[in-house]
mmCIF file of all heavy atoms in Angstrom:
data_model
loop_
_atom_site.group_PDB
_atom_site.id
_atom_site.type_symbol
_atom_site.label_atom_id
_atom_site.label_comp_id
_atom_site.label_asym_id
_atom_site.label_seq_id
_atom_site.Cartn_x
_atom_site.Cartn_y
_atom_site.Cartn_z
ATOM 1 N N ALA A 294 58.680 32.061 -47.165
ATOM 2 C CA ALA A 294 57.730 31.198 -46.478
ATOM 3 C C ALA A 294 56.966 30.364 -47.501
ATOM 4 O O ALA A 294 56.647 30.835 -48.593
ATOM 5 C CB ALA A 294 56.760 32.030 -45.645
ATOM 6 N N MET A 295 56.676 29.111 -47.142
ATOM 7 C CA MET A 295 55.976 28.223 -48.049
ATOM 8 C C MET A 295 54.465 28.349 -47.851
ATOM 9 O O MET A 295 53.975 28.431 -46.719
ATOM 10 C CB MET A 295 56.406 26.776 -47.831
ATOM 11 C CG MET A 295 57.899 26.536 -48.046
ATOM 12 S SD MET A 295 58.481 27.109 -49.675
ATOM 13 C CE MET A 295 57.569 26.004 -50.759
ATOM 14 N N VAL A 296 53.766 28.394 -48.946
ATOM 15 C CA VAL A 296 52.306 28.500 -48.932
ATOM 16 C C VAL A 296 51.748 27.319 -49.718
ATOM 17 O O VAL A 296 52.098 27.122 -50.884
ATOM 18 C CB VAL A 296 51.833 29.827 -49.573
ATOM 19 C CG1 VAL A 296 50.312 29.897 -49.566
ATOM 20 C CG2 VAL A 296 52.443 31.021 -48.854
ATOM 21 N N LYS A 297 50.875 26.541 -49.088
ATOM 22 C CA LYS A 297 50.246 25.425 -49.780
ATOM 23 C C LYS A 297 49.037 25.929 -50.559
ATOM 24 O O LYS A 297 48.156 26.581 -49.992
ATOM 25 C CB LYS A 297 49.830 24.343 -48.789
ATOM 26 C CG LYS A 297 51.005 23.638 -48.126
ATOM 27 C CD LYS A 297 50.538 22.517 -47.208
ATOM 28 C CE LYS A 297 51.731 21.782 -46.598
ATOM 29 N NZ LYS A 297 51.287 20.683 -45.705
ATOM 30 N N ALA A 298 48.996 25.606 -51.850
ATOM 31 C CA ALA A 298 47.909 26.056 -52.716
ATOM 32 C C ALA A 298 47.142 24.857 -53.252
ATOM 33 O O ALA A 298 47.735 23.918 -53.783
ATOM 34 C CB ALA A 298 48.465 26.876 -53.880
ATOM 35 N N SER A 299 45.822 24.908 -53.099
ATOM 36 C CA SER A 299 44.947 23.920 -53.720
ATOM 37 C C SER A 299 44.325 24.550 -54.962
ATOM 38 O O SER A 299 43.811 25.674 -54.899
ATOM 39 C CB SER A 299 43.838 23.489 -52.750
ATOM 40 O OG SER A 299 44.393 22.857 -51.619
ATOM 41 N N ILE A 300 44.373 23.833 -56.075
ATOM 42 C CA ILE A 300 43.873 24.359 -57.337
ATOM 43 C C ILE A 300 42.515 23.730 -57.632
ATOM 44 O O ILE A 300 42.382 22.500 -57.636
ATOM 45 C CB ILE A 300 44.847 24.067 -58.499
ATOM 46 C CG1 ILE A 300 46.285 24.437 -58.109
ATOM 47 C CG2 ILE A 300 44.404 24.799 -59.756
ATOM 48 C CD1 ILE A 300 46.498 25.887 -57.742
ATOM 49 N N TYR A 301 41.522 24.581 -57.874
ATOM 50 C CA TYR A 301 40.165 24.126 -58.145
ATOM 51 C C TYR A 301 39.731 24.564 -59.539
ATOM 52 O O TYR A 301 40.106 25.645 -60.014
ATOM 53 C CB TYR A 301 39.178 24.695 -57.120
ATOM 54 C CG TYR A 301 39.372 24.156 -55.725
ATOM 55 C CD1 TYR A 301 40.254 24.770 -54.831
ATOM 56 C CD2 TYR A 301 38.666 23.035 -55.290
ATOM 57 C CE1 TYR A 301 40.431 24.277 -53.543
ATOM 58 C CE2 TYR A 301 38.841 22.535 -54.001
ATOM 59 C CZ TYR A 301 39.721 23.155 -53.134
ATOM 60 O OH TYR A 301 39.890 22.654 -51.871
ATOM 61 N N ALA A 302 38.901 23.718 -60.156
ATOM 62 C CA ALA A 302 38.290 24.046 -61.446
ATOM 63 C C ALA A 302 36.811 24.305 -61.220
ATOM 64 O O ALA A 302 36.106 23.467 -60.642
ATOM 65 C CB ALA A 302 38.471 22.905 -62.438
ATOM 66 N N ILE A 303 36.348 25.469 -61.662
ATOM 67 C CA ILE A 303 34.927 25.815 -61.601
ATOM 68 C C ILE A 303 34.352 25.656 -62.994
ATOM 69 O O ILE A 303 34.833 26.276 -63.951
ATOM 70 C CB ILE A 303 34.720 27.247 -61.090
ATOM 71 C CG1 ILE A 303 35.298 27.396 -59.682
ATOM 72 C CG2 ILE A 303 33.240 27.615 -61.108
ATOM 73 C CD1 ILE A 303 35.241 28.817 -59.141
ATOM 74 N N ASN A 304 33.331 24.831 -63.119
ATOM 75 C CA ASN A 304 32.697 24.561 -64.409
ATOM 76 C C ASN A 304 31.273 25.094 -64.426
ATOM 77 O O ASN A 304 30.602 25.123 -63.397
ATOM 78 C CB ASN A 304 32.660 23.059 -64.694
ATOM 79 C CG ASN A 304 34.016 22.503 -65.074
ATOM 80 O OD1 ASN A 304 34.459 22.638 -66.198
ATOM 81 N ND2 ASN A 304 34.681 21.881 -64.106
ATOM 82 N N GLY A 305 30.825 25.479 -65.632
ATOM 83 C CA GLY A 305 29.436 25.875 -65.828
ATOM 84 C C GLY A 305 29.235 27.299 -66.262
ATOM 85 O O GLY A 305 28.120 27.692 -66.611
ATOM 86 N N ILE A 306 30.320 28.103 -66.243
ATOM 87 C CA ILE A 306 30.180 29.503 -66.652
ATOM 88 C C ILE A 306 30.490 29.650 -68.132
ATOM 89 O O ILE A 306 29.720 30.257 -68.887
ATOM 90 C CB ILE A 306 31.111 30.408 -65.824
ATOM 91 C CG1 ILE A 306 30.811 30.258 -64.335
ATOM 92 C CG2 ILE A 306 30.955 31.866 -66.254
ATOM 93 C CD1 ILE A 306 31.811 30.931 -63.434
ATOM 94 N N GLU A 307 31.616 29.104 -68.538
ATOM 95 C CA GLU A 307 32.043 29.140 -69.931
ATOM 96 C C GLU A 307 32.162 27.702 -70.440
ATOM 97 O O GLU A 307 31.878 26.749 -69.720
ATOM 98 C CB GLU A 307 33.394 29.865 -70.051
ATOM 99 C CG GLU A 307 33.436 31.252 -69.442
ATOM 100 C CD GLU A 307 32.647 32.283 -70.213
ATOM 101 O OE1 GLU A 307 32.295 32.003 -71.383
ATOM 102 O OE2 GLU A 307 32.389 33.368 -69.660
ATOM 103 N N LEU A 308 32.607 27.546 -71.679
ATOM 104 C CA LEU A 308 32.830 26.202 -72.206
ATOM 105 C C LEU A 308 33.991 25.511 -71.502
ATOM 106 O O LEU A 308 34.033 24.290 -71.417
ATOM 107 C CB LEU A 308 33.102 26.267 -73.708
ATOM 108 C CG LEU A 308 31.882 26.512 -74.587
ATOM 109 C CD1 LEU A 308 32.306 26.720 -76.031
ATOM 110 C CD2 LEU A 308 30.898 25.362 -74.488
ATOM 111 N N ASP A 309 34.939 26.296 -71.028
ATOM 112 C CA ASP A 309 36.098 25.748 -70.329
ATOM 113 C C ASP A 309 36.007 26.059 -68.843
ATOM 114 O O ASP A 309 35.368 27.034 -68.437
ATOM 115 C CB ASP A 309 37.390 26.358 -70.874
ATOM 116 C CG ASP A 309 37.613 25.990 -72.317
ATOM 117 O OD1 ASP A 309 37.499 24.803 -72.642
ATOM 118 O OD2 ASP A 309 37.888 26.899 -73.122
ATOM 119 N N PRO A 310 36.649 25.278 -67.997
ATOM 120 C CA PRO A 310 36.668 25.602 -66.567
ATOM 121 C C PRO A 310 37.513 26.831 -66.283
ATOM 122 O O PRO A 310 38.402 27.189 -67.053
ATOM 123 C CB PRO A 310 37.303 24.353 -65.944
ATOM 124 C CG PRO A 310 38.115 23.747 -67.028
ATOM 125 C CD PRO A 310 37.391 24.046 -68.301
ATOM 126 N N SER A 311 37.206 27.481 -65.174
ATOM 127 C CA SER A 311 38.042 28.565 -64.648
ATOM 128 C C SER A 311 38.794 28.020 -63.450
ATOM 129 O O SER A 311 38.212 27.335 -62.599
ATOM 130 C CB SER A 311 37.176 29.753 -64.226
ATOM 131 O OG SER A 311 36.436 30.252 -65.313
ATOM 132 N N TYR A 312 40.097 28.321 -63.364
ATOM 133 C CA TYR A 312 40.937 27.769 -62.308
ATOM 134 C C TYR A 312 41.218 28.818 -61.239
ATOM 135 O O TYR A 312 41.568 29.967 -61.549
ATOM 136 C CB TYR A 312 42.263 27.277 -62.883
ATOM 137 C CG TYR A 312 42.106 26.155 -63.882
ATOM 138 C CD1 TYR A 312 42.459 26.330 -65.219
ATOM 139 C CD2 TYR A 312 41.594 24.911 -63.495
ATOM 140 C CE1 TYR A 312 42.313 25.305 -66.136
ATOM 141 C CE2 TYR A 312 41.448 23.882 -64.407
ATOM 142 C CZ TYR A 312 41.808 24.087 -65.729
ATOM 143 O OH TYR A 312 41.661 23.076 -66.643
ATOM 144 N N ILE A 313 41.096 28.417 -59.976
ATOM 145 C CA ILE A 313 41.357 29.317 -58.862
ATOM 146 C C ILE A 313 42.211 28.590 -57.829
ATOM 147 O O ILE A 313 42.058 27.378 -57.610
ATOM 148 C CB ILE A 313 40.043 29.832 -58.241
ATOM 149 C CG1 ILE A 313 40.334 30.921 -57.203
ATOM 150 C CG2 ILE A 313 39.204 28.700 -57.671
ATOM 151 C CD1 ILE A 313 39.115 31.732 -56.827
ATOM 152 N N ALA A 314 43.138 29.328 -57.219
ATOM 153 C CA ALA A 314 44.037 28.773 -56.201
ATOM 154 C C ALA A 314 43.614 29.286 -54.830
ATOM 155 O O ALA A 314 43.450 30.496 -54.634
ATOM 156 C CB ALA A 314 45.478 29.171 -56.498
ATOM 157 N N LEU A 315 43.459 28.374 -53.871
ATOM 158 C CA LEU A 315 43.107 28.717 -52.495
ATOM 159 C C LEU A 315 44.187 28.212 -51.552
ATOM 160 O O LEU A 315 44.818 27.185 -51.811
ATOM 161 C CB LEU A 315 41.766 28.083 -52.106
ATOM 162 C CG LEU A 315 40.559 28.356 -53.009
ATOM 163 C CD1 LEU A 315 39.324 27.672 -52.442
ATOM 164 C CD2 LEU A 315 40.328 29.839 -53.201
ATOM 165 N N ASP A 316 44.382 28.941 -50.447
ATOM 166 C CA ASP A 316 45.349 28.467 -49.458
ATOM 167 C C ASP A 316 44.678 27.454 -48.529
ATOM 168 O O ASP A 316 43.514 27.077 -48.712
ATOM 169 C CB ASP A 316 45.980 29.633 -48.703
ATOM 170 C CG ASP A 316 44.982 30.403 -47.842
ATOM 171 O OD1 ASP A 316 43.891 29.866 -47.551
ATOM 172 O OD2 ASP A 316 45.307 31.546 -47.455
ATOM 173 N N ASN A 317 45.412 27.004 -47.495
ATOM 174 C CA ASN A 317 44.869 25.938 -46.645
ATOM 175 C C ASN A 317 43.741 26.415 -45.737
ATOM 176 O O ASN A 317 43.078 25.605 -45.079
ATOM 177 C CB ASN A 317 45.984 25.271 -45.829
ATOM 178 C CG ASN A 317 46.736 26.276 -44.968
ATOM 179 O OD1 ASN A 317 46.412 27.457 -44.920
ATOM 180 N ND2 ASN A 317 47.763 25.777 -44.289
ATOM 181 N N LYS A 318 43.493 27.729 -45.687
ATOM 182 C CA LYS A 318 42.338 28.268 -44.965
ATOM 183 C C LYS A 318 41.209 28.639 -45.919
ATOM 184 O O LYS A 318 40.251 29.289 -45.541
ATOM 185 C CB LYS A 318 42.765 29.493 -44.158
ATOM 186 C CG LYS A 318 43.754 29.182 -43.047
ATOM 187 C CD LYS A 318 44.096 30.435 -42.253
ATOM 188 C CE LYS A 318 45.070 30.110 -41.126
ATOM 189 N NZ LYS A 318 45.424 31.332 -40.338
ATOM 190 N N HIS A 319 41.360 28.226 -47.171
ATOM 191 C CA HIS A 319 40.386 28.518 -48.227
ATOM 192 C C HIS A 319 40.257 30.011 -48.507
ATOM 193 O O HIS A 319 39.189 30.493 -48.883
ATOM 194 C CB HIS A 319 39.020 27.905 -47.904
ATOM 195 C CG HIS A 319 38.941 26.460 -48.296
ATOM 196 N ND1 HIS A 319 37.804 25.701 -48.160
ATOM 197 C CD2 HIS A 319 39.874 25.619 -48.819
ATOM 198 C CE1 HIS A 319 38.034 24.470 -48.583
ATOM 199 N NE2 HIS A 319 39.287 24.394 -48.979
ATOM 200 N N ASN A 320 41.366 30.736 -48.321
ATOM 201 C CA ASN A 320 41.427 32.122 -48.776
ATOM 202 C C ASN A 320 41.995 32.154 -50.192
ATOM 203 O O ASN A 320 42.748 31.256 -50.594
ATOM 204 C CB ASN A 320 42.303 32.964 -47.849
ATOM 205 C CG ASN A 320 41.701 33.087 -46.470
ATOM 206 O OD1 ASN A 320 40.497 33.310 -46.327
ATOM 207 N ND2 ASN A 320 42.528 32.936 -45.448
ATOM 208 N N MET A 321 41.656 33.202 -50.927
ATOM 209 C CA MET A 321 42.074 33.279 -52.327
ATOM 210 C C MET A 321 43.570 33.569 -52.447
ATOM 211 O O MET A 321 44.086 34.505 -51.846
ATOM 212 C CB MET A 321 41.287 34.366 -53.061
ATOM 213 C CG MET A 321 41.663 34.489 -54.532
ATOM 214 S SD MET A 321 40.556 35.624 -55.409
ATOM 215 C CE MET A 321 41.363 35.685 -57.034
ATOM 216 N N LEU A 322 44.255 32.744 -53.224
ATOM 217 C CA LEU A 322 45.641 33.010 -53.610
ATOM 218 C C LEU A 322 45.706 33.602 -55.007
ATOM 219 O O LEU A 322 46.568 34.425 -55.290
ATOM 220 C CB LEU A 322 46.461 31.718 -53.573
ATOM 221 C CG LEU A 322 46.773 31.144 -52.201
ATOM 222 C CD1 LEU A 322 47.446 29.791 -52.343
ATOM 223 C CD2 LEU A 322 47.658 32.103 -51.411
ATOM 224 N N GLY A 323 44.810 33.138 -55.894
ATOM 225 C CA GLY A 323 44.864 33.698 -57.238
ATOM 226 C C GLY A 323 43.900 33.048 -58.206
ATOM 227 O O GLY A 323 43.388 31.953 -57.969
ATOM 228 N N TYR A 324 43.642 33.764 -59.274
ATOM 229 C CA TYR A 324 42.979 33.223 -60.468
ATOM 230 C C TYR A 324 44.092 32.897 -61.449
ATOM 231 O O TYR A 324 45.009 33.711 -61.648
ATOM 232 C CB TYR A 324 42.023 34.252 -61.072
ATOM 233 C CG TYR A 324 41.681 33.963 -62.520
ATOM 234 C CD1 TYR A 324 40.733 33.005 -62.846
ATOM 235 C CD2 TYR A 324 42.340 34.621 -63.557
ATOM 236 C CE1 TYR A 324 40.440 32.710 -64.169
ATOM 237 C CE2 TYR A 324 42.048 34.340 -64.881
ATOM 238 C CZ TYR A 324 41.097 33.386 -65.181
ATOM 239 O OH TYR A 324 40.819 33.099 -66.492
ATOM 240 N N ILE A 325 44.033 31.713 -62.080
ATOM 241 C CA ILE A 325 45.150 31.338 -62.947
ATOM 242 C C ILE A 325 44.652 30.877 -64.314
ATOM 243 O O ILE A 325 43.616 30.234 -64.444
ATOM 244 C CB ILE A 325 46.040 30.245 -62.303
ATOM 245 C CG1 ILE A 325 45.301 28.909 -62.180
ATOM 246 C CG2 ILE A 325 46.528 30.709 -60.939
ATOM 247 C CD1 ILE A 325 46.202 27.770 -61.700
ATOM 248 N N SER A 326 45.404 31.255 -65.327
ATOM 249 C CA SER A 326 45.217 30.770 -66.697
ATOM 250 C C SER A 326 46.598 30.748 -67.337
ATOM 251 O O SER A 326 47.568 31.264 -66.759
ATOM 252 C CB SER A 326 44.254 31.685 -67.466
ATOM 253 O OG SER A 326 44.884 32.901 -67.812
ATOM 254 N N PRO A 327 46.737 30.184 -68.531
ATOM 255 C CA PRO A 327 48.079 30.085 -69.116
ATOM 256 C C PRO A 327 48.767 31.423 -69.363
ATOM 257 O O PRO A 327 49.994 31.485 -69.370
ATOM 258 C CB PRO A 327 47.817 29.344 -70.434
ATOM 259 C CG PRO A 327 46.636 28.488 -70.146
ATOM 260 C CD PRO A 327 45.759 29.345 -69.268
ATOM 261 N N ARG A 328 48.011 32.506 -69.558
ATOM 262 C CA ARG A 328 48.660 33.783 -69.861
ATOM 263 C C ARG A 328 48.265 34.903 -68.905
ATOM 264 O O ARG A 328 48.927 35.926 -68.848
ATOM 265 C CB ARG A 328 48.326 34.212 -71.297
ATOM 266 C CG ARG A 328 48.831 33.254 -72.362
ATOM 267 C CD ARG A 328 48.652 33.834 -73.747
ATOM 268 N NE ARG A 328 49.509 34.976 -73.964
ATOM 269 C CZ ARG A 328 49.171 36.025 -74.719
ATOM 270 N NH1 ARG A 328 48.004 36.069 -75.307
ATOM 271 N NH2 ARG A 328 50.011 37.029 -74.885
ATOM 272 N N PHE A 329 47.167 34.743 -68.180
ATOM 273 C CA PHE A 329 46.632 35.813 -67.336
ATOM 274 C C PHE A 329 46.505 35.285 -65.920
ATOM 275 O O PHE A 329 45.794 34.312 -65.677
ATOM 276 C CB PHE A 329 45.270 36.248 -67.882
ATOM 277 C CG PHE A 329 44.690 37.466 -67.219
ATOM 278 C CD1 PHE A 329 44.936 38.722 -67.723
ATOM 279 C CD2 PHE A 329 43.874 37.343 -66.102
ATOM 280 C CE1 PHE A 329 44.378 39.847 -67.126
ATOM 281 C CE2 PHE A 329 43.322 38.457 -65.494
ATOM 282 C CZ PHE A 329 43.570 39.720 -66.014
ATOM 283 N N VAL A 330 47.211 35.932 -64.978
ATOM 284 C CA VAL A 330 47.219 35.476 -63.594
ATOM 285 C C VAL A 330 46.909 36.655 -62.684
ATOM 286 O O VAL A 330 47.448 37.749 -62.854
ATOM 287 C CB VAL A 330 48.593 34.876 -63.216
ATOM 288 C CG1 VAL A 330 48.672 34.572 -61.726
ATOM 289 C CG2 VAL A 330 48.868 33.620 -64.029
ATOM 290 N N VAL A 331 46.012 36.454 -61.729
ATOM 291 C CA VAL A 331 45.770 37.426 -60.660
ATOM 292 C C VAL A 331 46.228 36.753 -59.374
ATOM 293 O O VAL A 331 45.677 35.724 -58.974
ATOM 294 C CB VAL A 331 44.285 37.809 -60.581
ATOM 295 C CG1 VAL A 331 44.055 38.821 -59.462
ATOM 296 C CG2 VAL A 331 43.799 38.381 -61.914
ATOM 297 N N ILE A 332 47.261 37.316 -58.730
ATOM 298 C CA ILE A 332 47.943 36.588 -57.654
ATOM 299 C C ILE A 332 48.133 37.480 -56.433
ATOM 300 O O ILE A 332 48.349 38.698 -56.553
ATOM 301 C CB ILE A 332 49.304 36.048 -58.168
ATOM 302 C CG1 ILE A 332 49.905 35.055 -57.199
ATOM 303 C CG2 ILE A 332 50.257 37.183 -58.492
ATOM 304 C CD1 ILE A 332 51.072 34.269 -57.785
#
C-alpha cells in the first residue's frame, strides 16, 4: 500500500533542523536523519 509522507523541518532546538515525516492525517511516520531513522 502507498503512504504519502510529508517531510517537515523543525528548527530552534539544535543548530541543525530535525526532520520528521507525517502522513496525510498528520500522524507520525518517522523521525529521519542520514544514519538514524525511527519509522
Side-chain angles (χ1 to χ4, degrees):
M295 300 306 295
V296 179
K297 292 183 178 180
S299 297
I300 312 300
Y301 292 88
I303 300 175
N304 286 281
I306 302 171
E307 306 289 345
L308 284 173
D309 296 312
S311 300
Y312 297 115
I313 188 164
L315 306 181
D316 65 18
N317 57 3
K318 295 182 179 180
H319 277 183
N320 294 316
M321 181 172 174
L322 289 174
Y324 160 80
I325 67 173
S326 74
R328 297 188 68 214
F329 188 91
V330 172
V331 180
I332 192 167

